[in-house]
Amino acid sequence: MAQRAVRRSAGPQVWPLYAAGFTTAFGAHGVAASLGARSADAVTSLLVLGGLLALYDGAEVVLKPVFGTLADRVGARPVLLGGLVAFAAASALYAVAGSSGWLWAARLGQGAAASAFSPAASALVARLSPPVGHGRAFGRYGFWKSVGYTLGPLLGGVLVWAGGLRLLFAVLAVTGAVVAGWALAAVPQVPPLPRARQTLLDLARRLADPVFLVPTGALAGATAALCVGVGFLPVSGAAAGLGTVATGAAVSVLAACAAVVQPYAGRALDAGRLTARVGLSCGLLVAAAGLACAMLSGLTGVLLAAALIGVGTGLITPLGFAALASATPRERLGQTMGAAELGRELGDAGGPLLVAGVASAAALPYGYAVLALLLAAGPAVAAVATTVASARRSTT
């Protein structure tokens, strides 16, 4: 019976949600990787480039918890559809107008729209999948997001080379519209569930509980390691005399390992061969080992680092979201997924900033070492926090 439920979790109604995950990843990395390289007419300085890159992520940091809560209030499906339509419209804005001013508006609109449909898609993955199938469902969702992160820079570069930045935005507009139509046809109505009144203190207590903090912290650590690997491993490779082909291949190895591992990790969780706590701890330690390998010079160190960071990230992502889904009241899934996505965004920004700050004061290997130590300490911190929280519950 459980196996039948797990198979049901991969039904056609969730595939548009996987496509939505691909869309947000493709939109984020496809444009970001192309702005500085082939858009001199729109990006006139490093300051402008930094501002355009920050717009998308900044909108997500501010708005994801808001739209996650809205999904619980009005239903996740309307928020998903509205976000996808808004993403298509924002992309079409620059594709049609083509001026640098409209590029800023389009990029902000894309980030705001992704802030809506990304947590809504995560909440729907949980709502439409049986609890025994959460690992498999989030494994597939993470796989397709990883595919978007992997193919985004490549496809974005090809499209910009062929027709300029406006062609890339036109393709993103079509992608958003197609996925919205697919979701409209395939994703069923999932009405919001009755919710007990929640005060700000109740929300703070729930988000401060280790049941939420441990998976979210692991997701933030995984995202930090992933972004550091993508951003800084090419720097280490270039310092060791490696060419762009070799360093690009290393980044591809990282993304491929993360994509391949996620479905296997999800299936292992559903089958009982792996627990979320063990998987998250192992993922953090493997990613930390990858960052330690990045301190080695030469191609071997870069490739080992890429593979281990990818495997660690692939372990953490589906297990973290599955743990959050299983521990969250179903009527609060949107709020929880939005808050968890915020944690990932903070890791996305904090990891590279930490490594860059240490590297500027000492050297890049020391930056890798500091982040590796933080990730390696994660399992111990999680164990202490869980023990303290359990002790408090037993005394109340």
Side-chain angles (χ1 to χ4, degrees), residues 90-116:
S91 302
L93 186 66
Y94 180 71
V96 173
S99 67
S100 58
W102 286 114
L103 176 60
W104 288 82
R107 198 59 178 154
L108 178 60
Q110 285 181 331
S115 302

Side-chain angles (χ1 to χ4, degrees), residues 28 31-33 35-36 46 48-58 104 107:
V31 175
L35 281 173
L46 289 177
V48 171
L49 176 60
L52 285 169
L53 293 175
L55 268 181
Y56 193 99
D57 292 331
W104 288 82
R107 198 59 178 154

Side-chain angles (χ1 to χ4, degrees), residues 15 28 185 251 351 376:
W15 280 99
V251 173

Side-chain angles (χ1 to χ4, degrees), residues 46 49 54 60 65 68 92 161 192 194-195 198 220 226 246 256 280 310 320 331 388:
L46 289 177
L49 176 60
E60 290 191 309
W161 171 80
R195 299 177 303 154
Q198 177 182 252
L226 177 66
L280 293 175
E331 68 273 14
V388 171

Side-chain angles (χ1 to χ4, degrees), residues 39-54:
S39 55
D41 55 331
V43 179
T44 55
S45 69
L46 289 177
L47 183 61
V48 171
L49 176 60
L52 285 169
L53 293 175

Side-chain angles (χ1 to χ4, degrees), residues 4-11 14 18 128-130 133-134 136-137 270:
R4 189 178 306 160
V6 171
R7 282 194 293 271
R8 232 179 35 230
S9 70
V14 299
Y18 302 156
L128 295 174
S129 304
H134 278 165
R136 183 186 183 96
D270 291 340

